Amino acid sequence: MSDHATTPSEPGGDASPSPAIILVEPQLGENIGMVARAMANFGLTNLRLVNPRDGWPNEKAIATASRADHVIRATQVFDKLEHAIGDLSFLYATTARPRDGFKPVHGPVEAGRELRGRERLGQQTGILFGREKFGLSNEEVALADVIVTFPVDPAFSSLNIAQAVLLMSYEWMKAGLERETDTNFRGPEMQPASKEHLHSFIGHLERALDERGYFRPPEKKAKMLDNLRAVFTRPAFAEAEIKVLRGVVSSLDYFSPKQPRGAGYPERKAQADRNALPDDPDA
């Protein structure tokens, strides 16, 4: 098989020296497609294949890539591993089992940070993944600078190739965030409620409960109020949450056991008043 490359295209292109994902002799097109999808999830586009068993391009890979078409189109194919890594200055080899030799071994978190640090220096890096059945040979691992392995259960350490790529892609993306705990979106910024809002709400609640005979027997009211204050002051409510609770308590003001439920709401009361007007005898 001759070396083959296509031009990277949107989204993202290949402008940054982000790590190349190199699959050695992948067997199933479906796995290649799922690898492309995992890469696209975390902004990687540089996929390289060494002697894919079923050739390239592969319709099954395209079908399972789930719109990661830009990764599929940019995929490069090589007949030798040495050619696939020739332009790289630093290479990780993934493996699930101990290897002979003197290579350092990193976990995925450390590897992600290392790759980001080298990216900032403008270095071309790569991560090597082996065959679905038996991974990388010792000779292939020897071509890498460092081994990366995952903290999996030793009794069941086998990972699907797309899972392994997903884990490394995630760690690479996370290491590039301003804070590693960041996400693409957050919940709304909530303005903490002032003590004035909080105490006003508790007073409102006290009056509503008083009118409905909640504080029984009367001599226990002070203790019951203390318990209510403890409940509503501990969580540090946001102002918007206090408004929701005020709305709930306000709804109690429009309810009387002697009326149908909700009959006291302003719009229903106005309608009831209109219905109660006597008919015009001259009509």
Side-chain angles (χ1 to χ4, degrees):
M1 182 183 301
S2 61
D3 289 359
H4 170 74
T6 58
T7 303
S9 55
E10 52 78 35
D14 196 33
S16 82
S18 58
I21 300 298
I22 304 140
L23 309 184
V24 177
E25 297 183 357
Q27 296 173 305
L28 299 175
E30 292 90 339
N31 283 339
I32 298 172
M34 288 188 287
V35 164
R37 180 178 182 179
M39 291 171 61
N41 284 149
F42 297 101
L44 297 179
T45 59
N46 191 350
L47 176 60
R48 304 180 183 188
L49 310 178
V50 179
N51 284 326
R53 185 190 66 181
D54 297 335
W56 193 261
N58 186 295
E59 291 300 323
K60 292 181 179 179
I62 296 170
T64 55
S66 188
R67 294 187 297 173
D69 299 332
H70 58 294
V71 179
I72 294 293
R73 288 195 299 267
T75 299
Q76 302 172 72
V77 180
F78 301 85
D79 57 358
K80 293 183 180 180
L81 176 56
E82 289 82 355
H83 295 165
I85 64 175
D87 63 326
L88 305 180
S89 58
F90 184 84
L91 182 65
Y92 270 108
T94 59
T95 182
R97 62 182 189 275
R99 302 283 185 156
D100 295 331
F102 301 97
K103 292 189 182 297
V105 178
H106 292 175
V109 174
E110 187 178 4
R113 293 170 180 171
E114 172 79 17
L115 291 168
R116 279 293 185 178
R118 291 181 178 273
E119 178 194 39
R120 285 190 284 270
L121 296 174
Q123 297 180 13
Q124 294 284 344
T125 62
I127 312 170
L128 199 57
F129 296 85
R131 302 154 188 84
E132 290 94 329
K133 286 188 177 181
F134 59 88
L136 296 167
S137 69
N138 287 333
E139 292 76 14
E140 290 159 347
V141 171
L143 296 174
D145 298 281
V146 180
I147 288 172
V148 59
T149 191
F150 305 104
V152 294
D153 186 344
F156 194 76
S157 59
S158 175
L159 285 177
N160 174 280
I161 189 171
Q163 293 174 322
V165 170
L166 183 73
L167 284 171
M168 285 304 305
S169 301
Y170 167 71
E171 291 298 343
W172 177 83
M173 172 64 82
K174 186 177 71 173
L177 300 174
E178 185 175 343
R179 295 179 303 172
E180 289 192 354
T181 56
D182 282 346
T183 56
N184 284 338
F185 59 91
R186 294 280 184 180
E189 292 291 333
M190 302 288 279
Q191 177 68 31
S194 67
K195 296 303 181 186
E196 180 182 6
H197 278 102
L198 190 59
H199 294 154
S200 176
F201 161 70
I202 292 173
H204 186 179
L205 179 62
E206 178 187 354
R207 291 190 298 274
L209 294 176
D210 233 343
E211 291 175 6
R212 287 153 183 81
Y214 173 78
F215 299 107
R216 300 189 308 272
E219 60 269 20
K220 290 190 175 181
K221 177 179 177 179
K223 178 60 177 174
M224 295 171 77
L225 272 175
D226 283 344
N227 291 340
L228 284 172
R229 290 190 188 97
V231 169
F232 288 111
T233 55
R234 184 185 302 120
F237 285 101
E239 187 174 320
E241 293 170 319
I242 292 295
K243 288 181 180 179
V244 170
L245 292 172
R246 291 292 291 263
V248 172
V249 177
S250 293
S251 73
L252 299 177
D253 295 335
Y254 301 127
F255 172 75
S256 167
K258 298 179 181 179
Q259 295 177 315
R261 186 176 297 275
Y265 279 106
E267 64 275 15
R268 294 191 181 182
K269 189 174 185 302
Q271 181 62 48
D273 291 343
R274 285 195 295 271
N275 293 340
L277 291 174
D279 291 338
D280 185 348
D282 297 328

